[in-house]
Amino acid sequence: MAEERMLITGGQRLEGAVRVSGGKNTAVAIIPAAILSQTPCVIENLPSIEDVHVSVETLQHLGAKVLWDPREGIMQVDASTINRTDVPLELCRRMRASSYYIGALLARFGEASVPLPGGCNIGRRPIDQHIKGMRMLGAEVEIVGGTVMARARDGLIGGDVFMDMVTVGGTINVMLAAACAQGITTIYNAAKEPHIVDTANFLNSMGCKVKGAGTDVIRVRGVSHLSSRRPYAVIPDQIETGTLMIAAAATHGDVTISGCIPTHMEALTAKLLEMGARVDERDDAIRVRSMGAHRGVTFKTQVYPGFPTDLQQPMSALLCTATGTSTVVENIFESRFRHLMEMERMGARVRLFEQTAVIEGVPQLHGAAVEASDLRAGAALVIAGLMAQGTTEISNTHYIDRGYEHLEDKLQGLGARISRVTY
Ligand code: EPZ
């Protein structure tokens, strides 16, 4: 089978303006949420990425009518024709957020059969909190042969759900299930990420009553019928914005990222400032300028508004050429440092201790053949390639395509020498 690789000739300073796409992690939650609408629903500003294409296939498998215009980023979903409630393993394997179909199908049809997502290249991805939440709302949930079989014959009933840890997916899934439950559901220790707020806003736009999204207590008053009334545009991608900010600093460039939400970027902005870069914020744009050599820093990944785990990989790639020693602690997933092992081939000096990476900055990386192990590892290797002297060849580009829309075009527009070859 033909394999694609990305080729990057490093050393080009990125300069100019680039527009950020709609958020992946919002898109993969809002598309299944469209199942709850009794009327056709229009979603705008969706990125044309693999996870969205898989979401379309999933809805079509269920029997929904989907009109998807990837160029315009607009999708119309008519869920009234859904005639089954099982998601096949093949689709679940291709998209980790498939667990949201449990909450959405259970809420609308009182049953769902969805294979477990299993582990992945960044660590374990259990969904025990999602399942606990569904049970608290009265669902019977069993795992049969690796598939979650959930049922609520007489509908779900609102209740109190205390999350044992802060989980983005668990919070969204319980919100979806609670949207049509009888009475009030309260989610304690809820996640606060921007895509939680966006999913809540989408549910509210269809007549649901979600309050407190963005805080650690969310209350959902379920309604028996949700119906879409107007098109809903998803928020810009926080992680793509951050990746482009890091790319600007990594190439000692001057880049303005437009169409983003600067307040979502505070944790990264603070670290870039600490490293010596200049960051200027406007209402919906961020300009990142490099003012010379960067200083090494220490950071720990945390739930929002802390430093996001999804930006740890691109950021730790940047730190490989910062002066002095940097320390990175990954608190969310157990194996999210594989990109650094790959970067050792490019001359990076890294010591790994379980959840901690100690990075000794080197003046220059050199191009090498490297392999992406997951989406953000791929983004980190792109950053590394942009910084390195010579040519870097990245394999497993399909991971990058899962979450970045037109990444090469965007970077080329800023002056990067990046292309794709098929072997
Ligand atoms: C979401 O994953 C994102 N994915 C991830 O982005 C992101 O890395 C992660 O949140 C953390 O911010 C989507 O939004 C689609 P979690 P999710 O539930 O929901 C543990 C990317 O690169 N946990 O917040 O799966 C879990 O093991 C991706 O775009 C349980 O133990 O993450 C982890 O240690 C990768 N039991 C922690 O909680 C549960 O039931 C946080 O996971 C659920 C989670």
Side-chain angles (χ1 to χ4, degrees):
M1 205 172 88
E3 197 206 328
E4 285 191 327
R5 303 215 179 137
M6 223 177 241
L7 288 184
I8 304 173
T9 303
Q12 308 298 313
R13 186 170 181 266
L14 298 190
E15 253 181 306
V18 60
R19 195 169 179 82
V20 79
S21 301
K24 168 184 92 83
N25 288 342
T26 299
V28 296
I30 283 182
I31 296 170
I35 290 176
L36 301 177
S37 179
Q38 305 272 342
T39 53
C41 178
V42 176
I43 312 167
E44 298 176 341
N45 200 32
L46 287 169
S48 175
I49 52 173
E50 186 57 19
D51 273 15
V52 169
H53 304 314
V54 176
S55 304
V56 171
E57 283 182 54
T58 307
L59 287 179
Q60 286 171 334
H61 162 88
L62 295 171
K65 285 196 195 119
V66 185
L67 295 174
W68 166 222
D69 179 347
R71 283 159 76 95
E72 295 298 324
I74 299 177
M75 188 182 294
Q76 181 175 322
V77 180
D78 179 355
S80 66
T81 50
I82 287 184
N83 51 21
R84 57 196 299 171
T85 54
D86 65 306
V87 178
L89 180 60
E90 185 263 328
L91 290 172
C92 291
R93 282 216 173 104
R94 285 167 56 201
M95 188 183 60
R96 308 214 53 84
S98 49
S99 59
Y100 294 149
Y101 290 87
I102 306 173
L105 289 166
L106 196 53
R108 176 86 195 261
F109 301 106
E111 58 176 33
S113 160
V114 180
L116 282 167
C120 80
N121 290 338
I122 57 173
R124 290 174 63 240
R125 306 285 293 271
I127 59 163
D128 54 300
Q129 299 302 303
H130 307 221
I131 292 173
K132 182 178 88 167
M134 311 287 165
R135 286 187 175 137
M136 294 307 286
L137 304 190
E140 288 167 33
V141 188
E142 283 179 291
I143 296 171
V144 183
T147 295
V148 178
M149 314 280 283
R151 189 176 290 265
R153 280 184 204 286
D154 303 318
L156 295 166
I157 297 175
D160 288 349
V161 178
F162 193 97
M163 296 291 178
D164 293 344
M165 79 281 299
V166 179
T167 148
V168 171
T171 304
I172 290 179
N173 223 347
V174 174
M175 276 192 333
L176 297 181
C180 301
Q182 223 179 15
I184 294 177
T185 297
T186 307
I187 307 171
Y188 295 95
N189 201 23
K192 299 189 275 233
E193 268 66 5
H195 36 297
I196 307 274
V197 179
D198 209 27
T199 308
N201 287 342
F202 178 62
L203 292 174
N204 285 341
S205 77
M206 297 195 294
C208 192
K209 305 257 180 294
V210 184
K211 286 194 174 155
T215 75
D216 52 14
V217 181
I218 299 178
R219 283 200 172 77
V220 183
R221 182 187 290 277
V223 290
S224 54
H225 287 86
L226 292 179
S227 50
S228 171
R229 294 151 195 193
R230 55 189 171 273
Y232 187 89
V234 306
I235 55 169
D237 197 302
Q238 176 202 14
I239 307 303
E240 186 201 2
T241 304
T243 306
L244 294 167
M245 290 169 71
I246 294 167
T251 58
H252 296 285
D254 179 353
V255 175
T256 300
I257 300 138
S258 63
C260 64
I261 301 181
T263 48
H264 290 169
M265 307 312 306
E266 298 299 358
L268 173 63
T269 297
K271 281 295 150 190
L272 289 176
L273 291 173
E274 200 181 322
M275 291 178 75
R278 184 161 170 189
V279 183
D280 296 303
E281 296 178 359
R282 292 206 308 266
D283 282 355
D284 66 345
I286 298 183
R287 181 177 180 190
V288 178
R289 275 178 280 179
S290 179
M291 311 307 280
H294 299 123
R295 291 183 288 276
V297 292
T298 290
F299 73 91
K300 300 175 182 185
T301 61
Q302 287 173 332
V303 295
Y304 189 81
F307 196 98
T309 172
D310 294 348
L311 286 176
Q312 176 269 107
Q313 292 156 296
M315 184 65 166
S316 52
L318 167 61
L319 290 174
C320 288
T321 59
T323 52
T325 306
S326 298
T327 305
V328 178
V329 181
E330 172 54 61
N331 285 317
I332 311 294
F333 291 108
E334 66 259 32
S335 32
R336 234 179 171 179
F337 287 138
R338 290 182 190 186
H339 61 294
L340 290 175
M341 295 184 222
E342 286 300 291
M343 282 184 64
E344 286 182 324
R345 297 174 201 274
M346 303 174 73
R349 287 180 54 199
V350 182
R351 279 172 294 147
L352 297 176
F353 309 91
E354 296 186 343
Q355 301 305 104
T356 303
V358 178
I359 301 170
E360 298 293 343
V362 294
Q364 182 73 65
L365 297 171
H366 50 82
V370 288
E371 193 175 291
S373 52
D374 68 88
L375 166 60
R376 309 300 172 189
L381 294 175
V382 170
I383 304 282
L386 292 171
M387 292 194 289
Q389 202 168 44
T391 301
T392 297
E393 184 179 277
I394 305 174
S395 53
N396 279 349
T397 51
H398 59 94
Y399 283 123
I400 300 173
D401 298 335
R402 278 196 39 220
Y404 289 93
E405 182 181 52
H406 308 316
L407 184 63
E408 287 118 285
D409 296 347
K410 289 185 182 186
L411 292 173
Q412 273 167 11
L414 296 170
R417 290 169 65 191
I418 179 168
S419 57
R420 227 176 250 238
V421 284
T422 307
Y423 290 95

